[in-house]
Amino acid sequence: MLDREEYLLAWSRWHGGSDTTSPLVRGWLSLAHALARPLAGLPPLVATVAGLLVAAACIPPAAAGGAWLVAAGLLVGLSGLLDSLDGALAIGAGRASQRGFVLDSVVDRLTEVAYAVALWTAGAPGWLAVAFGAMCWLPDYVRARAGQAGVDRTGPISLWERPARVVMAAFTLGGAGVVSGLELGGIGGDVLTVTAGAAVGALLGVLATAQLGWWLRSELAGPGGAGRG
C-alpha cells in the first residue's frame, strides 16, 4: 500500500494532474487513505457498489422527514467515504485501471442523483433539486468534453468538487433533521433548510462551471478551437 504522499501523487496523476493542496481535497483524500490501509486486500469494486447502495438508502429516511433526516445525512456522508475508499484501494494498492476509473465516475453521477432525489423528498422544490443534481454533473461533464477536445489538464480546483457536494448534501439533510428535532419543523424550518442547502449547492455549481469555463478560454484558444494540452 502506498504511503499517503505517494497516494496523493498517484491520485493526482490519475486525475489529470489535479491539485491536491486544497485543504478540503487533501483532507478528504487523506481520510480515504487512512481507511483504506487496513482494508488493502478488499476489491475496490466492493466499495464502489457499497457506496452506490448506501447513497440510494438515504432516500427513504429523507422522505420520512423529521429526525430521520439526520440518518439520511449520515448515509450521504458514508456513501461519499465509500466512494473515496474505492479509489484509495485501487490507486494505493496498485490496482487502478481505466475501466475502474470510468466505472467510478459513472457511480459518482448516480450517487449525486440519489442526493438530489433525497433533497426533493425532504421538501426542496423539484426544480431546485434538479438544478442541484445538474450542477453536480455539469462541471465534470465540461472537464470530460474538454479532455476530448485535447485538454490534458483538469483545471482549477473549485468550491464545488466531489467532496464539497457530499458535505453539502449531508449537512443539509442532517441539519434539517436537527432543525426538526428542535421543533422548528412546525413552521417549515426543515423544508427551509433543505431548500436553502439545495439552492446554495446549485449556486456553487454555477460558480464552479463559470470558473472552469473562464480557465478553458485559454486552453481552447488554439487553431480551430482545439486544445493545446
Side-chain angles (χ1 to χ4, degrees), residues 86-179:
D86 68 356
L89 288 169
I91 296 173
R95 290 182 289 184
S97 66
Q98 291 179 324
R99 179 170 58 184
F101 183 78
V102 172
L103 176 62
D104 183 61
S105 297
V106 171
V107 170
D108 285 351
R109 303 293 79 78
L110 292 176
T111 58
E112 287 160 0
V113 169
Y115 302 162
V117 172
L119 291 171
W120 172 59
T121 60
W127 65 269
L128 190 54
V130 170
F132 178 94
M135 287 303 107
C136 288
W137 160 81
L138 187 57
D140 288 326
Y141 176 76
V142 171
R143 281 196 175 107
R145 294 295 292 174
Q148 291 177 335
V151 178
D152 59 4
R153 297 191 293 160
T154 59
I157 297 296
S158 72
L159 293 173
W160 195 234
E161 301 298 335
R162 171 71 175 170
R165 301 166 200 167
V166 174
V167 170
M168 176 60 74
F171 273 87
T172 295
L173 291 167
V178 171
V179 168

Coordinates of all heavy atoms in Angstrom, one line a residue, residues 86-179:
D86 N -13.0 3.4 -2.5 CA -12.7 2.5 -3.6 C -11.5 3.1 -4.4 O -10.6 2.3 -4.9 CB -13.9 2.3 -4.5 CG -14.4 3.6 -5.3 OD1 -13.8 4.6 -5.1 OD2 -15.3 3.5 -6.0
G87 N -11.4 4.4 -4.6 CA -10.2 5.0 -5.3 C -8.9 4.8 -4.5 O -7.9 4.5 -5.1
A88 N -9.0 4.9 -3.2 CA -7.8 4.7 -2.4 C -7.4 3.2 -2.4 O -6.2 3.0 -2.5 CB -8.1 5.1 -0.9
L89 N -8.3 2.3 -2.4 CA -8.0 0.9 -2.5 C -7.3 0.6 -3.9 O -6.4 -0.2 -4.0 CB -9.2 0.0 -2.3 CG -9.7 0.0 -0.9 CD1 -11.1 -0.7 -0.9 CD2 -8.8 -0.8 0.0
A90 N -7.9 1.2 -5.0 CA -7.4 0.9 -6.3 C -6.0 1.5 -6.6 O -5.1 0.8 -7.0 CB -8.4 1.4 -7.3
I91 N -5.9 2.8 -6.3 CA -4.7 3.5 -6.6 C -3.6 3.1 -5.5 O -2.5 2.9 -5.9 CB -4.9 5.0 -6.6 CG1 -5.9 5.4 -7.7 CG2 -3.6 5.8 -6.7 CD1 -6.3 6.8 -7.7
G92 N -4.0 3.1 -4.3 CA -3.0 2.9 -3.2 C -2.4 1.5 -3.3 O -1.2 1.3 -2.9
A93 N -3.2 0.5 -3.8 CA -2.7 -0.9 -3.9 C -2.2 -1.2 -5.3 O -1.9 -2.4 -5.5 CB -3.8 -1.8 -3.4
G94 N -2.1 -0.3 -6.1 CA -1.7 -0.5 -7.5 C -2.6 -1.3 -8.4 O -2.2 -2.0 -9.3
R95 N -3.9 -1.2 -8.1 CA -4.9 -2.0 -8.9 C -5.8 -1.0 -9.7 O -6.8 -1.5 -10.2 CB -5.8 -2.8 -7.9 CG -5.0 -3.9 -7.3 CD -5.9 -4.8 -6.4 NE -6.3 -4.1 -5.2 CZ -7.0 -4.6 -4.2 NH1 -7.4 -5.9 -4.3 NH2 -7.3 -3.9 -3.1
A96 N -5.4 0.2 -9.9 CA -6.2 1.1 -10.7 C -6.2 0.7 -12.1 O -5.2 0.3 -12.7 CB -5.7 2.6 -10.5
S97 N -7.3 0.9 -12.8 CA -7.4 0.6 -14.2 C -8.3 1.7 -14.9 O -9.1 2.4 -14.2 CB -8.0 -0.8 -14.4 OG -9.4 -0.8 -14.0
Q98 N -8.2 1.8 -16.2 CA -9.1 2.7 -16.9 C -10.6 2.3 -16.8 O -11.4 3.2 -16.6 CB -8.7 2.8 -18.4 CG -7.3 3.4 -18.6 CD -6.9 3.4 -20.1 OE1 -7.2 2.5 -20.8 NE2 -6.2 4.5 -20.5
R99 N -10.8 1.0 -16.8 CA -12.2 0.6 -16.6 C -12.8 1.0 -15.3 O -13.9 1.4 -15.2 CB -12.3 -0.9 -16.8 CG -13.7 -1.5 -16.7 CD -13.8 -3.0 -17.1 NE -12.9 -3.8 -16.3 CZ -12.7 -5.1 -16.6 NH1 -13.3 -5.7 -17.6 NH2 -11.8 -5.8 -15.8
G100 N -12.0 0.8 -14.2 CA -12.4 1.1 -12.9 C -12.6 2.6 -12.8 O -13.5 3.1 -12.1
F101 N -11.7 3.4 -13.4 CA -11.8 4.9 -13.4 C -13.1 5.3 -14.0 O -13.8 6.2 -13.4 CB -10.6 5.5 -14.1 CG -10.6 7.0 -14.1 CD1 -10.1 7.7 -13.0 CD2 -11.0 7.7 -15.2 CE1 -10.1 9.0 -13.0 CE2 -11.0 9.1 -15.2 CZ -10.5 9.8 -14.1
V102 N -13.5 4.8 -15.1 CA -14.8 5.1 -15.8 C -16.0 4.7 -14.9 O -16.9 5.5 -14.7 CB -14.9 4.5 -17.2 CG1 -16.2 4.7 -17.8 CG2 -13.8 5.1 -18.1
L103 N -15.9 3.5 -14.4 CA -17.0 3.0 -13.5 C -17.2 3.9 -12.3 O -18.3 4.2 -12.0 CB -16.7 1.5 -13.1 CG -17.7 0.9 -12.1 CD1 -19.1 0.8 -12.8 CD2 -17.3 -0.5 -11.7
D104 N -16.1 4.3 -11.7 CA -16.2 5.1 -10.5 C -16.8 6.5 -10.9 O -17.6 7.0 -10.1 CB -14.8 5.4 -10.0 CG -14.8 6.2 -8.7 OD1 -15.4 5.8 -7.7 OD2 -14.2 7.3 -8.7
S105 N -16.5 7.0 -12.1 CA -17.1 8.3 -12.5 C -18.6 8.1 -12.7 O -19.4 9.0 -12.3 CB -16.4 8.8 -13.8 OG -15.1 9.0 -13.5
V106 N -19.0 7.0 -13.3 CA -20.5 6.8 -13.5 C -21.2 6.6 -12.2 O -22.3 7.2 -12.0 CB -20.7 5.5 -14.4 CG1 -22.1 5.1 -14.4 CG2 -20.1 5.7 -15.8
V107 N -20.6 5.9 -11.2 CA -21.2 5.7 -9.9 C -21.3 7.1 -9.2 O -22.3 7.3 -8.5 CB -20.4 4.7 -9.1 CG1 -20.9 4.6 -7.7 CG2 -20.6 3.3 -9.7
D108 N -20.3 7.9 -9.3 CA -20.4 9.2 -8.7 C -21.6 10.0 -9.2 O -22.3 10.6 -8.4 CB -19.1 10.1 -9.1 CG -17.9 9.6 -8.3 OD1 -18.0 8.8 -7.4 OD2 -16.8 10.1 -8.7
R109 N -21.9 10.0 -10.5 CA -23.0 10.7 -11.0 C -24.3 10.1 -10.5 O -25.3 10.8 -10.2 CB -23.0 10.7 -12.5 CG -21.7 11.2 -13.2 CD -21.5 12.7 -13.0 NE -21.0 13.1 -11.7 CZ -19.7 12.9 -11.3 NH1 -18.8 12.5 -12.2 NH2 -19.3 13.3 -10.1
L110 N -24.4 8.7 -10.4 CA -25.6 8.1 -9.9 C -25.8 8.4 -8.4 O -27.0 8.6 -8.0 CB -25.5 6.6 -10.1 CG -25.5 6.1 -11.5 CD1 -25.3 4.6 -11.6 CD2 -26.8 6.4 -12.2
T111 N -24.8 8.5 -7.6 CA -24.9 8.8 -6.2 C -25.4 10.3 -6.1 O -26.2 10.6 -5.2 CB -23.7 8.6 -5.4 OG1 -22.6 9.4 -6.0 CG2 -23.2 7.2 -5.4
E112 N -25.0 11.1 -7.0 CA -25.4 12.5 -6.9 C -26.9 12.7 -7.3 O -27.6 13.6 -6.8 CB -24.5 13.4 -7.7 CG -23.1 13.6 -7.1 CD -22.0 14.0 -8.0 OE1 -22.3 14.2 -9.2 OE2 -20.9 14.2 -7.5
V113 N -27.3 11.8 -8.2 CA -28.8 11.7 -8.5 C -29.5 11.4 -7.2 O -30.6 12.0 -6.9 CB -29.1 10.7 -9.6 CG1 -30.6 10.5 -9.7 CG2 -28.5 11.2 -10.9
A114 N -29.0 10.4 -6.5 CA -29.7 10.0 -5.2 C -29.7 11.1 -4.2 O -30.7 11.3 -3.5 CB -28.9 8.8 -4.6
Y115 N -28.6 11.9 -4.2 CA -28.6 13.1 -3.2 C -29.7 14.1 -3.6 O -30.4 14.6 -2.8 CB -27.3 13.8 -3.3 CG -26.1 13.0 -2.9 CD1 -24.8 13.4 -3.3 CD2 -26.2 11.7 -2.2 CE1 -23.7 12.6 -2.9 CE2 -25.1 11.0 -1.9 CZ -23.8 11.4 -2.3 OH -22.7 10.7 -2.0
A116 N -29.8 14.3 -4.9 CA -30.8 15.3 -5.4 C -32.2 14.8 -5.1 O -33.1 15.5 -4.7 CB -30.7 15.5 -6.9
V117 N -32.5 13.5 -5.3 CA -33.8 12.9 -5.0 C -34.1 13.0 -3.5 O -35.2 13.3 -3.1 CB -33.9 11.4 -5.5 CG1 -35.1 10.8 -5.0 CG2 -33.8 11.4 -7.0
A118 N -33.1 12.8 -2.7 CA -33.2 12.9 -1.3 C -33.6 14.3 -0.9 O -34.5 14.5 0.0 CB -32.0 12.4 -0.5
L119 N -33.0 15.3 -1.4 CA -33.3 16.7 -1.1 C -34.8 17.0 -1.6 O -35.5 17.7 -0.8 CB -32.4 17.6 -1.9 CG -30.9 17.6 -1.3 CD1 -30.0 18.4 -2.3 CD2 -30.9 18.2 0.1
W120 N -35.2 16.4 -2.7 CA -36.6 16.6 -3.2 C -37.6 16.0 -2.2 O -38.6 16.6 -1.8 CB -36.7 16.1 -4.6 CG -38.1 16.1 -5.1 CD1 -38.9 17.2 -5.2 CD2 -38.9 14.9 -5.5 NE1 -40.2 16.8 -5.7 CE2 -40.1 15.4 -5.9 CE3 -38.6 13.6 -5.6 CZ2 -41.1 14.5 -6.3 CZ3 -39.6 12.7 -6.0 CH2 -40.8 13.2 -6.4
T121 N -37.3 14.7 -1.9 CA -38.3 14.0 -1.0 C -38.3 14.7 0.4 O -39.3 14.6 1.1 CB -37.9 12.5 -0.9 OG1 -36.6 12.4 -0.3 CG2 -38.0 11.9 -2.2
A122 N -37.2 15.4 0.8 CA -37.1 16.0 2.1 C -37.9 17.4 2.1 O -38.0 18.0 3.1 CB -35.7 16.2 2.5
G123 N -38.3 17.9 0.9 CA -39.0 19.1 0.8 C -38.5 20.2 -0.1 O -39.2 21.2 -0.3
A124 N -37.4 20.0 -0.7 CA -36.9 21.0 -1.6 C -37.7 21.0 -2.9 O -38.2 19.9 -3.3 CB -35.4 20.7 -2.0
P125 N -38.0 22.1 -3.5 CA -38.8 22.2 -4.7 C -38.1 21.3 -5.8 O -36.9 21.2 -5.9 CB -38.8 23.6 -5.2 CG -38.5 24.4 -3.9 CD -37.6 23.5 -3.1
G126 N -39.0 20.6 -6.6 CA -38.5 19.7 -7.6 C -37.5 20.4 -8.6 O -36.4 19.8 -8.9
W127 N -37.8 21.6 -9.0 CA -36.9 22.2 -10.0 C -35.6 22.6 -9.4 O -34.5 22.5 -10.0 CB -37.5 23.5 -10.5 CG -37.7 24.6 -9.5 CD1 -38.8 24.8 -8.7 CD2 -36.8 25.6 -9.1 NE1 -38.6 25.9 -7.9 CE2 -37.4 26.4 -8.1 CE3 -35.5 25.9 -9.5 CZ2 -36.7 27.5 -7.5 CZ3 -34.8 27.0 -8.9 CH2 -35.5 27.8 -7.9
L128 N -35.6 22.8 -8.1 CA -34.3 23.2 -7.4 C -33.5 21.9 -7.1 O -32.2 22.0 -7.3 CB -34.6 23.9 -6.0 CG -33.4 24.5 -5.3 CD1 -32.7 25.5 -6.2 CD2 -33.9 25.2 -4.1
A129 N -34.1 20.8 -6.8 CA -33.4 19.6 -6.7 C -32.8 19.1 -8.0 O -31.7 18.6 -8.0 CB -34.4 18.5 -6.2
V130 N -33.5 19.3 -9.1 CA -33.0 19.0 -10.4 C -31.8 19.9 -10.7 O -30.7 19.5 -11.2 CB -34.1 19.2 -11.5 CG1 -33.4 19.2 -12.9 CG2 -35.1 18.1 -11.4
A131 N -31.9 21.2 -10.4 CA -30.8 22.1 -10.6 C -29.5 21.7 -9.7 O -28.4 21.8 -10.2 CB -31.2 23.6 -10.2
F132 N -29.8 21.3 -8.5 CA -28.7 20.8 -7.7 C -28.0 19.6 -8.3 O -26.8 19.6 -8.5 CB -29.2 20.4 -6.3 CG -28.2 19.8 -5.4 CD1 -27.5 20.6 -4.5 CD2 -27.9 18.4 -5.4 CE1 -26.6 20.1 -3.6 CE2 -26.9 17.9 -4.5 CZ -26.3 18.8 -3.6
G133 N -28.8 18.6 -8.8 CA -28.2 17.5 -9.5 C -27.5 17.8 -10.7 O -26.4 17.3 -11.0
A134 N -28.0 18.8 -11.5 CA -27.4 19.2 -12.8 C -26.1 19.9 -12.5 O -25.1 19.7 -13.3 CB -28.3 20.1 -13.6
M135 N -26.0 20.7 -11.5 CA -24.8 21.4 -11.2 C -23.7 20.5 -10.5 O -22.6 20.8 -10.5 CB -25.1 22.6 -10.3 CG -25.8 23.7 -11.0 SD -24.9 24.4 -12.4 CE -25.9 23.7 -13.8
C136 N -24.2 19.3 -10.0 CA -23.2 18.3 -9.6 C -22.5 17.7 -10.9 O -21.4 17.3 -10.9 CB -23.8 17.2 -8.8 SG -24.3 17.7 -7.1
W137 N -23.3 17.6 -11.9 CA -22.9 16.9 -13.1 C -22.2 17.8 -14.1 O -21.2 17.3 -14.7 CB -24.2 16.3 -13.8 CG -24.1 16.0 -15.2 CD1 -23.5 14.8 -15.8 CD2 -24.5 16.8 -16.3 NE1 -23.6 14.9 -17.1 CE2 -24.2 16.0 -17.5 CE3 -25.2 18.0 -16.5 CZ2 -24.5 16.5 -18.8 CZ3 -25.4 18.5 -17.7 CH2 -25.1 17.8 -18.8
L138 N -22.6 19.0 -14.2 CA -22.1 19.9 -15.3 C -20.6 20.1 -15.3 O -19.9 20.0 -16.3 CB -22.9 21.2 -15.3 CG -22.6 22.1 -16.5 CD1 -22.9 21.4 -17.8 CD2 -23.5 23.4 -16.4
P139 N -20.0 20.5 -14.1 CA -18.6 20.8 -14.2 C -17.7 19.6 -14.6 O -16.8 19.7 -15.4 CB -18.2 21.2 -12.7 CG -19.5 21.7 -12.2 CD -20.6 20.8 -12.8
D140 N -18.1 18.4 -14.2 CA -17.3 17.2 -14.6 C -17.6 16.9 -16.1 O -16.7 16.4 -16.8 CB -17.7 16.0 -13.7 CG -17.1 16.1 -12.3 OD1 -16.0 16.7 -12.2 OD2 -17.8 15.7 -11.4
Y141 N -18.8 17.2 -16.6 CA -19.1 16.9 -18.0 C -18.2 17.9 -18.8 O -17.7 17.5 -19.9 CB -20.6 17.2 -18.3 CG -20.9 17.1 -19.7 CD1 -21.0 15.9 -20.3 CD2 -21.2 18.2 -20.5 CE1 -21.4 15.8 -21.7 CE2 -21.5 18.2 -21.8 CZ -21.6 16.9 -22.4 OH -21.9 16.8 -23.7
V142 N -18.2 19.2 -18.4 CA -17.3 20.1 -19.1 C -15.9 19.7 -19.2 O -15.2 19.7 -20.2 CB -17.5 21.5 -18.5 CG1 -16.5 22.5 -19.1 CG2 -18.9 22.1 -18.7
R143 N -15.4 19.2 -18.0 CA -14.0 18.7 -18.0 C -13.8 17.5 -18.9 O -12.8 17.5 -19.6 CB -13.6 18.3 -16.6 CG -13.3 19.4 -15.6 CD -12.5 18.9 -14.4 NE -12.1 20.0 -13.6 CZ -12.6 20.3 -12.4 NH1 -13.7 19.7 -12.0 NH2 -12.1 21.3 -11.7
A144 N -14.8 16.6 -19.0 CA -14.7 15.5 -19.8 C -14.6 15.9 -21.3 O -13.9 15.4 -22.1 CB -15.8 14.5 -19.6
R145 N -15.5 16.8 -21.7 CA -15.6 17.2 -23.1 C -14.3 18.0 -23.4 O -13.8 17.9 -24.6 CB -16.8 18.1 -23.3 CG -18.1 17.4 -23.2 CD -18.3 16.3 -24.2 NE -18.5 17.0 -25.6 CZ -18.5 16.3 -26.7 NH1 -18.4 15.0 -26.7 NH2 -18.7 16.9 -27.8
A146 N -13.8 18.8 -22.5 CA -12.5 19.5 -22.7 C -11.4 18.5 -23.0 O -10.5 18.7 -23.8 CB -12.2 20.4 -21.6
G147 N -11.4 17.4 -22.2 CA -10.4 16.3 -22.4 C -10.5 15.7 -23.8 O -9.5 15.5 -24.5
Q148 N -11.7 15.5 -24.3 CA -11.9 15.0 -25.7 C -11.4 16.0 -26.7 O -11.1 15.6 -27.8 CB -13.4 14.7 -25.9 CG -13.8 13.5 -25.1 CD -15.3 13.2 -25.3 OE1 -16.1 14.1 -25.6 NE2 -15.7 11.9 -25.1
A149 N -11.4 17.3 -26.4 CA -11.0 18.3 -27.3 C -9.5 18.5 -27.2 O -9.0 19.4 -28.0 CB -11.7 19.7 -27.0
G150 N -8.8 17.8 -26.4 CA -7.4 17.8 -26.4 C -6.7 18.5 -25.1 O -5.5 18.5 -25.0
V151 N -7.6 18.9 -24.2 CA -7.0 19.5 -22.9 C -6.7 18.4 -22.0 O -7.5 17.6 -21.6 CB -8.1 20.4 -22.3 CG1 -7.5 21.0 -21.0 CG2 -8.4 21.6 -23.2
D152 N -5.4 18.3 -21.6 CA -5.0 17.1 -20.8 C -4.8 17.5 -19.3 O -4.2 16.8 -18.5 CB -3.7 16.5 -21.3 CG -2.5 17.5 -21.4 OD1 -2.7 18.7 -21.0 OD2 -1.4 17.2 -21.9
R153 N -5.3 18.7 -18.9 CA -5.3 19.1 -17.5 C -6.7 19.3 -17.0 O -7.6 19.5 -17.8 CB -4.5 20.4 -17.4 CG -3.1 20.4 -17.7 CD -2.3 21.6 -17.3 NE -2.8 22.8 -18.0 CZ -2.6 24.0 -17.6 NH1 -2.0 24.3 -16.5 NH2 -3.0 25.1 -18.4
T154 N -6.9 19.1 -15.8 CA -8.3 19.1 -15.2 C -8.7 20.5 -14.9 O -9.9 20.8 -14.6 CB -8.4 18.2 -14.0 OG1 -7.5 18.7 -13.0 CG2 -8.2 16.8 -14.3
G155 N -7.8 21.4 -14.8 CA -8.1 22.8 -14.4 C -8.1 23.1 -13.0 O -7.8 22.3 -12.1
P156 N -8.6 24.3 -12.6 CA -8.5 24.7 -11.2 C -9.5 23.9 -10.3 O -10.5 23.5 -10.7 CB -8.9 26.2 -11.2 CG -9.8 26.3 -12.5 CD -9.2 25.3 -13.5
I157 N -9.1 23.8 -9.0 CA -10.0 23.2 -8.0 C -11.0 24.2 -7.6 O -10.6 25.3 -7.2 CB -9.2 22.7 -6.8 CG1 -8.2 21.6 -7.2 CG2 -10.1 22.2 -5.7 CD1 -8.9 20.3 -7.7
S158 N -12.3 23.9 -7.7 CA -13.3 24.9 -7.4 C -13.9 24.6 -6.0 O -13.5 23.6 -5.3 CB -14.4 24.8 -8.4 OG -15.2 23.6 -8.3
L159 N -14.9 25.4 -5.6 CA -15.6 25.2 -4.4 C -16.6 24.1 -4.5 O -17.3 23.8 -3.5 CB -16.2 26.5 -3.9 CG -15.3 27.6 -3.5 CD1 -16.1 28.9 -3.2 CD2 -14.5 27.2 -2.3
W160 N -16.8 23.5 -5.6 CA -17.8 22.5 -5.8 C -17.3 21.2 -6.4 O -17.9 20.6 -7.3 CB -18.9 23.1 -6.7 CG -20.2 22.4 -6.8 CD1 -20.9 21.9 -7.9 CD2 -21.1 22.1 -5.7 NE1 -22.1 21.4 -7.5 CE2 -22.2 21.4 -6.2 CE3 -21.0 22.3 -4.3 CZ2 -23.3 21.0 -5.3 CZ3 -22.0 21.8 -3.5 CH2 -23.1 21.2 -4.0
E161 N -16.2 20.7 -5.9 CA -15.7 19.4 -6.2 C -16.5 18.4 -5.5 O -17.3 18.6 -4.6 CB -14.2 19.4 -5.9 CG -13.3 20.4 -6.6 CD -13.3 20.3 -8.1 OE1 -13.6 19.2 -8.6 OE2 -13.1 21.3 -8.8
R162 N -16.2 17.1 -5.8 CA -16.9 16.0 -5.3 C -17.0 16.0 -3.7 O -18.1 15.9 -3.2 CB -16.3 14.7 -5.8 CG -16.8 13.4 -5.1 CD -18.2 13.1 -5.6 NE -18.6 11.8 -5.0 CZ -19.8 11.3 -5.1 NH1 -20.7 12.0 -5.7 NH2 -20.1 10.1 -4.5
P163 N -15.9 16.3 -3.0 CA -16.1 16.3 -1.5 C -17.1 17.4 -1.1 O -17.9 17.2 -0.1 CB -14.7 16.6 -1.0 CG -13.8 16.1 -2.1 CD -14.5 16.4 -3.4
A164 N -17.1 18.6 -1.7 CA -18.0 19.6 -1.3 C -19.4 19.2 -1.6 O -20.3 19.6 -0.8 CB -17.6 20.9 -2.1
R165 N -19.7 18.5 -2.7 CA -21.0 18.1 -3.0 C -21.6 17.1 -1.9 O -22.7 17.3 -1.5 CB -21.1 17.4 -4.3 CG -20.6 18.3 -5.5 CD -20.4 17.5 -6.7 NE -19.5 18.2 -7.7 CZ -18.9 17.6 -8.7 NH1 -19.1 16.3 -8.9 NH2 -18.1 18.3 -9.5
V166 N -20.7 16.2 -1.5 CA -21.1 15.2 -0.5 C -21.4 16.0 0.8 O -22.4 15.7 1.5 CB -20.0 14.2 -0.3 CG1 -20.4 13.3 0.9 CG2 -19.9 13.3 -1.6
V167 N -20.4 16.8 1.2 CA -20.6 17.6 2.5 C -21.8 18.4 2.5 O -22.6 18.5 3.5 CB -19.3 18.4 2.8 CG1 -19.6 19.4 3.9 CG2 -18.1 17.5 3.0
M168 N -22.1 19.1 1.4 CA -23.3 20.0 1.3 C -24.6 19.2 1.5 O -25.5 19.5 2.2 CB -23.3 20.8 0.0 CG -24.5 21.6 -0.2 SD -24.7 22.9 1.0 CE -23.5 24.0 0.6
A169 N -24.7 18.1 0.7 CA -25.9 17.3 0.8 C -26.0 16.7 2.2 O -27.1 16.6 2.8 CB -25.8 16.1 -0.3
A170 N -24.9 16.2 2.8 CA -25.0 15.5 4.1 C -25.4 16.5 5.2 O -26.3 16.3 6.0 CB -23.7 14.9 4.4
F171 N -24.8 17.7 5.2 CA -25.1 18.7 6.2 C -26.4 19.3 6.0 O -27.1 19.7 7.0 CB -24.0 19.8 6.2 CG -22.8 19.4 7.1 CD1 -21.8 18.7 6.6 CD2 -22.8 19.8 8.4 CE1 -20.7 18.3 7.4 CE2 -21.7 19.5 9.2 CZ -20.6 18.7 8.7
T172 N -26.9 19.4 4.8 CA -28.2 20.0 4.5 C -29.3 19.1 5.1 O -30.2 19.5 5.8 CB -28.4 20.2 3.0 OG1 -27.5 21.2 2.5 CG2 -29.9 20.6 2.7
L173 N -29.2 17.8 4.8 CA -30.2 16.8 5.3 C -30.1 16.6 6.8 O -31.1 16.7 7.5 CB -30.0 15.5 4.6 CG -30.3 15.5 3.1 CD1 -29.8 14.2 2.4 CD2 -31.9 15.6 2.9
G174 N -28.8 16.5 7.3 CA -28.7 16.3 8.7 C -29.1 17.6 9.5 O -29.7 17.5 10.5
G175 N -28.8 18.7 8.9 CA -29.2 20.0 9.6 C -30.7 20.1 9.6 O -31.2 20.6 10.6
A176 N -31.3 19.7 8.5 CA -32.8 19.8 8.5 C -33.4 18.9 9.6 O -34.4 19.2 10.2 CB -33.3 19.4 7.1
G177 N -32.7 17.7 9.8 CA -33.2 16.8 10.9 C -33.0 17.5 12.3 O -33.9 17.3 13.1
V178 N -31.9 18.2 12.5 CA -31.7 18.8 13.7 C -32.7 19.9 14.0 O -33.3 20.1 15.0 CB -30.3 19.4 13.8 CG1 -30.1 20.3 15.0 CG2 -29.3 18.3 13.8
V179 N -33.0 20.7 12.9 CA -34.0 21.8 13.0 C -35.3 21.2 13.3 O -36.1 21.7 14.2 CB -34.1 22.6 11.7 CG1 -35.3 23.5 11.6 CG2 -32.8 23.4 11.5

